[in-house]
Amino acid sequence: MDTRAENPDAVRNIDEKQKAIDDWLPITSSRNAKWWYAAFHNVTAMVGAGVLSLPYAMSNLGWGPGVVILFLSWIITLYTLWQMVEMHEMVPGKRFDRYHELGQHAFGEKLGLYIVVPQQLICEVGVDIVYMVTGGKSLQKIHDLLCKNCKHIKTTYFIMIFASVHFVLAHLPNFNSISGVSLAAAVMSLSYSTIAWGASVDKGRRPDVDYSYRASTTTGTVMDFFTALGDVAFAYAGHNVVLEIQATIPSTPDKPSKVAMWRGVIVAYIVVALCYFPVAFLGYYIFGDKVEDNILISLEKPVWLIVMANAFVVIHVIGSYQLYAMPVFDMLETMLVKRFNFKPSATLRFVTRNAYVAFTMFIAICFPFFGGLLGFFGGFAFAPTTYFLPCIMWLAIYKPKRFSLSWITNWMCIIAGLLLMILSPIGGLRNIILKAKDYQFFS
């Protein structure tokens, strides 16, 4: 006998309680975003400071493979992003507001969680730790450029200064409340990308430029190639927050959220192309195999321009950190409120979010070469969540006819993503071993 049918008041109370929790949680608390919110949220999520390392990645890939891999990644990730936008409301009357909810629909209640949540957490927490390091090191560069005769200050302290901003911003309740921060970050990403390639062109092609591979041995060349694949995968990590961004857009039968979201995604991907391709190709063309892993270091002068570019990087990673932290806050708060029955409150949010910021700050201070760690661990998570997990879910849900265009396209993306997932951690592991040899904690 269905006890729910006998107790309509109890059912109503449960539904009201559930709605109150959803109205409090960061992902589902606000649904009044416009399509341009989706555009700059996606730019902020996608165009990280990693764009500055793309010329270095090109120097490890070479002209032919580098151009092909960058363009292929742009096309594949745009396709998989379209799939996620389409699947957001594939069930009439239901919205998959979180990546793991879509995974549960595709793979089952438990298996979906086990497949998606660990990978998504590695990506989001990993990106936040990298941005802690990036923000701290960019602040350090500004200090060193403006005050050449000042006493040396450890990177640790600059990471702590950068983290102090997030102990405040982390308490903005939801995605829409960080839209101003995200817009500023999106503008900054376009600005410092333009400075990077514009200043490179102004500097002119080096007379002794060389486009041969950086490493002197075959093993080194292959390992550097694998690491560069991880750098490219890291550059396209925005899929981990795309459903959460779409959740903020209102939806009606006449105007489903996917229409506004897709418009925002197209604008975002045009901006991504304007940032990535000029920086990667012109930076490599100007400096060749002498390019640094951050192209701003290669530029050196004029000092005021490099200081400004690093300031833009700091502002950008402040916004990006918050964008990637919001789904983590949502997971933590959902678990505490729904599973452990904590009362939704400002105190719970204060403790949870401060603890998360403190955790990412501590890991960043301990391992400021976390980019190498991310190449290793991130290869297992970035490639699946961005390149082929959406394709697997599409095949599982829509079941396209074997050898149809959709079936072939998805399997090609899956194979490319699997190769990326297997190869990039190999290079990342070698990087960790090389950097850990002479590393000192809290230096």
Side-chain angles (χ1 to χ4, degrees), residues 326-354:
M326 200 58 76
V328 182
F329 295 154
D330 184 80
M331 284 188 204
L332 292 171
E333 289 164 15
T334 300
M335 182 179 70
L336 290 169
V337 171
K338 291 187 176 180
R339 182 172 293 185
F340 296 107
N341 296 316
F342 279 85
K343 186 181 177 185
S345 65
T347 306
L348 178 67
R349 185 160 275 175
F350 180 83
V351 173
T352 305
R353 297 190 177 192
N354 278 347

Side-chain angles (χ1 to χ4, degrees), residues 52-225:
L52 300 173
S53 70
L54 286 177
Y56 184 79
M58 282 289 296
S59 71
N60 288 323
L61 294 170
W63 273 119
V67 171
V68 170
I69 287 165
L70 271 175
F71 274 113
L72 264 182
S73 291
W74 191 87
I75 293 164
I76 290 171
T77 55
L78 179 59
Y79 172 66
T80 55
L81 199 50
W82 168 78
Q83 288 181 311
M84 294 189 74
V85 170
E86 286 290 314
M87 289 189 284
H88 181 82
E89 286 177 283
M90 71 178 83
V91 177
K94 182 174 175 59
R95 298 181 69 170
F96 299 110
D97 292 326
R98 299 165 178 90
Y99 205 140
H100 68 82
E101 290 176 5
L102 182 59
Q104 287 174 295
H105 179 72
F107 306 122
E109 200 71 23
K110 280 192 175 181
L111 185 60
L113 275 179
Y114 295 148
I115 290 174
V116 175
V117 171
Q119 295 183 77
Q120 195 178 10
L121 278 175
I122 289 171
C123 291
E124 288 163 355
V125 178
V127 167
D128 278 345
I129 294 168
V130 167
Y131 285 158
M132 275 282 181
V133 175
T134 305
K137 286 191 172 180
S138 293
L139 285 172
Q140 188 177 31
K141 281 175 201 163
I142 292 169
H143 170 268
D144 293 346
L145 285 166
L146 292 178
C147 195
K148 292 185 184 294
N149 299 320
C150 293
K151 183 183 175 183
H152 174 73
I153 300 174
K154 291 180 179 179
T155 309
T156 296
Y157 297 125
F158 286 104
I159 292 173
M160 291 169 76
I161 293 166
F162 180 77
S164 65
V165 178
H166 297 292
F167 282 111
V168 178
L169 291 180
H171 301 291
L172 292 169
N174 52 46
F175 261 120
N176 284 345
S177 65
I178 63 168
S179 56
V181 180
S182 184
L183 175 60
V187 172
M188 291 301 104
S189 61
L190 189 56
S191 301
Y192 67 69
S193 297
T194 305
I195 289 173
W197 68 260
S200 296
V201 171
D202 183 65
K203 197 175 182 79
R205 188 165 174 254
R206 302 295 83 199
D208 58 342
V209 70
D210 185 0
Y211 300 118
S212 58
Y213 287 113
R214 304 173 69 92
S216 55
T217 64
T218 305
T219 304
T221 301
V222 172
M223 290 299 177
D224 285 348
F225 190 95

